[in-house]
Amino acid sequence: MFRKFVLTGLLAAALGTGAQAADVAAPPAIAAPAPWAFDFAFGGKLMSDYNFRGISQSARGPSVNVYGELRYGWLYGGAAFWTTKLPTRPVGEIDIYGGIRPVIGDLTLDLGLMYYLYTPERQFITTGAETPVALAGTWTPRNTDFLEFYGKAGYDITPQFNLGGAVYYSANWLGTGAYGLYAEVNAKYKLPNDFAISGALGHYWLGNTTVFGVNNFNIQDYLYWNAGVSWTYKDAVTLDLRYHGTNLTSQQCFATTGDYRGVFTGSGRSNWCGHSVVATLSVDLQWSKLPYK
């Protein structure tokens, strides 16, 4: 039974539960200079760990992100690249996304879809020569690319305080055939001198998979939360220090993320979902607001 539990969990490794970056790949919404005018947003991040929904995508190591996004009024479309360290050994994660961001008074909505591409991938298979014999086998699908739909809402209760929520859904999470549904509530409060505090509380529901002959195996659901403080310089450069946590045990984390170290060592454990503090330096620019064009 442990073998089956591990097999299924390792499927998620190709994503590290974090492959989506719908909530992280999309840059902060910046007001367009004029209604229905074309604009272009671009930027990137330097991170001490690519942590997505509580689980590391970079094996607890540093990661880099770059993105570009074309905007026309409420419409937008873009692409982002993230460096990763995952069991299928892709060069990185490529997110291709698009949707609409209607702004109605103090309410901002964001409705769209995102495709996660990991390339090139190599299926994670062990023979028993490099791992304990009990852990020999096929550990990931051949292709972990998948499509996710999302909806977000944020409301400015006061000029300083924003309350929001988001829902993300995939019918074929990481190519496992299992659904993935994530929902969260979040809040942000602006402090003097361009500081802010923010946090989120979410839950991931994951369905059953039948890959590798494991029939109707349910992938572990889990809770995720984060809280942090940030400082922004001239609406363009942001320093963020954030605590991330989940309720997954190290064994459940291994089964959910597919940490390859848990396979090679035979421990059946992972620290990718444990409590962590992540530092991020972000740069977000907008063509229409550049001083020199």
Side-chain angles (χ1 to χ4, degrees), residues 202-225:
H203 190 281
Y204 224 139
W205 291 271
L206 298 166
N208 297 334
T209 181
T210 58
V211 297
F212 307 129
V214 182
N215 294 321
N216 297 319
F217 186 88
N218 186 258
I219 304 174
Q220 183 68 47
D221 298 347
Y222 70 93
L223 286 169
Y224 161 62
W225 56 88

Side-chain angles (χ1 to χ4, degrees), residues 8 42 81 125 133 174 249:
T8 303
F42 58 99
F81 174 80
I125 300 175
V133 175
L174 284 172
T249 66

Side-chain angles (χ1 to χ4, degrees), residues 12-13 15-19 49-60 86 173 204 206 220 222-224 244-246 248 252-253 256-258 270-274 276:
L15 175 63
T17 311
D49 178 17
Y50 177 10
N51 186 296
F52 178 73
R53 296 175 189 167
I55 299 178
S56 177
Q57 294 269 286
S58 54
R60 293 290 197 179
L86 300 169
W173 186 68
Y204 224 139
L206 298 166
Q220 183 68 47
Y222 70 93
L223 286 169
Y224 161 62
H244 300 264
T246 75
L248 291 170
Q252 290 172 331
C253 183
T256 301
T257 67
S270 173
N271 70 346
W272 288 3
C273 318
S276 64

Side-chain angles (χ1 to χ4, degrees), residues 24-25 43-47 63-67 80-83 95:
V24 269
K45 303 177 189 289
L46 294 175
M47 301 161 282
S63 177
V64 177
N65 156 254
V66 292
Y67 76 87
F81 174 80
W82 309 74
T83 58
D95 303 328

Side-chain angles (χ1 to χ4, degrees), residues 91-139:
V91 171
E93 170 190 326
I94 300 173
D95 303 328
I96 303 170
Y97 61 93
I100 60 172
R101 293 194 188 108
V103 178
I104 307 169
D106 294 326
L107 176 67
T108 299
L109 301 175
D110 189 347
L111 308 173
L113 53 84
M114 179 175 290
Y115 187 75
Y116 302 95
L117 175 65
Y118 300 88
T119 185
E121 288 190 280
R122 286 163 286 185
Q123 193 171 21
F124 185 25
I125 300 175
T126 57
T127 63
E130 69 276 52
T131 65
V133 175
L135 294 180
T138 301
W139 298 98

